[in-house]
Amino acid sequence: AQSVSQHNHHVILSEAASLELGCNYSYGGTVNLFWYVQYPGQHLQLLLKYFSGDPLVKGIKGFEAEFIKSKFSFNLRKPSVQWSDTAEYFCAVNAGNRDDKIIFGKGTRLHILP
Amino acid sequence: DGGITQSPKYLFRKEGQNVTLSCEQNLNHDAMYWYRQDPGQGLRLIYYSQIVNDFQKGDIAEGYSVSREKKESFPLTVTSAQKNPTAFYLCASSSSAGKLFFGSGTQLSVL
């Protein structure tokens, strides 16, 4: 069965600090990987996704993530965070077959200090 | 406007009562999902449907039921068998695996 682990439950950073949020998944086959973000009071929205090809994917608002197949990881990064990045971030996985099942991690609350 | 509409926004359930949460989409998406969001637990998949008249259990389906009689609609019933129903319920749809469009959610509480 698929599962997703997010290592950090709550992260506090100052503006301009670099960010890396960990995500590991357990599934032996081909996977599709995602990061979603939920800003305070808003719907969940897609930040970026990996289906195939270049393992370094770029998303909105300067975020990027790297798929490392050997480590079953898909960590989210941003070189310099802003106060507006305060949100909850969710990693998600879909088995890359024809099943549309999508499993989420428990989320990481990111708090950026101005 | 295209999107996912969930109703009601708030719902209260009495002991032993079944309640139904509505989810409608006008995005012409094939796949629809129900997730439960609890603090510190992330989103846990209850049920999902890839096509009309077909649906699959997610990780926490016990105490819930769904139907998919129309492409646009995927209602969730929280039955009396669900012993801990208080949570925030999110409906989503997708045209291709992964990019989910979420509704605004229903907060269910027990009286």
Side-chain angles (χ1 to χ4, degrees):
Chain A
Q2 303 157 233
S3 67
V4 180
S5 296
Q6 291 184 242
H7 316 301
N8 316 100
H9 299 298
H10 196 185
V11 173
I12 301 173
L13 294 172
S14 298
E15 275 194 310
S18 64
L19 170 72
E20 182 161 2
L21 301 182
C23 173
N24 286 89
Y25 66 92
S26 64
Y27 183 72
T30 303
V31 291
N32 300 319
L33 297 158
F34 314 88
W35 278 95
Y36 281 82
V37 59
Q38 188 171 30
Y39 296 103
Q42 295 187 27
H43 294 191
L44 275 148
Q45 59 184 282
L46 183 67
L47 201 54
L48 49 79
K49 63 183 179 182
Y50 171 81
F51 278 15
S52 64
D54 190 344
L56 184 63
V57 293
K58 296 191 183 298
I60 60 173
K61 305 187 179 186
F63 285 91
E64 63 179 32
E66 185 176 12
F67 170 51
I68 303 179
K69 189 175 181 180
S70 61
K71 295 184 178 180
F72 297 89
S73 70
F74 190 57
N75 292 356
L76 180 71
R77 302 194 293 244
K78 186 170 183 178
S80 176
V81 295
Q82 300 171 300
W83 178 79
S84 58
D85 292 325
T86 294
E88 191 160 17
Y89 293 80
F90 296 92
C91 184
V93 64
N94 160 253
N97 51 26
R98 303 184 69 169
D99 187 349
D100 285 332
K101 184 177 183 180
I102 300 171
I103 299 299
F104 283 78
K106 292 188 176 182
T108 298
R109 285 191 179 275
L110 176 63
H111 189 74
I112 305 299
L113 302 173
Chain B
D1 285 338
I4 312 284
T5 302
Q6 288 187 243
S7 63
K9 191 169 183 176
Y10 300 98
L11 186 59
F12 297 91
R13 192 191 90 166
K14 295 179 182 178
E15 290 286 339
Q17 186 183 36
N18 293 353
V19 292
T20 297
L21 284 61
S22 170
C23 178
E24 304 277 332
Q25 55 102 355
N26 60 5
L27 300 168
N28 199 34
H29 287 168
D30 288 317
M32 295 188 74
Y33 304 78
W34 275 106
Y35 290 92
R36 170 177 169 148
Q37 189 174 19
D38 297 279
Q41 295 292 318
L43 279 71
R44 291 183 289 170
L45 183 63
I46 303 172
Y47 270 99
Y48 66 110
S49 168
Q50 298 178 101
I51 198 167
V52 173
N53 293 322
D54 189 34
F55 47 83
Q56 289 78 39
K57 292 182 179 180
D59 296 329
I60 56 165
E62 186 173 349
Y64 300 96
S65 65
V66 293
S67 63
R68 188 86 186 275
E69 297 176 1
K70 299 187 298 181
K71 188 175 186 177
E72 303 79 19
S73 179
F74 191 42
L76 173 74
T77 296
V78 184
T79 74
S80 57
Q82 172 49 246
K83 298 306 178 189
N84 185 23
T86 296
F88 190 63
Y89 292 85
L90 281 167
C91 179
S93 71
S94 174
S95 61
S96 62
K99 185 168 184 180
L100 296 171
F101 291 81
F102 285 89
S104 55
T106 294
Q107 176 65 49
L108 175 62
S109 302
V110 176
L111 291 175

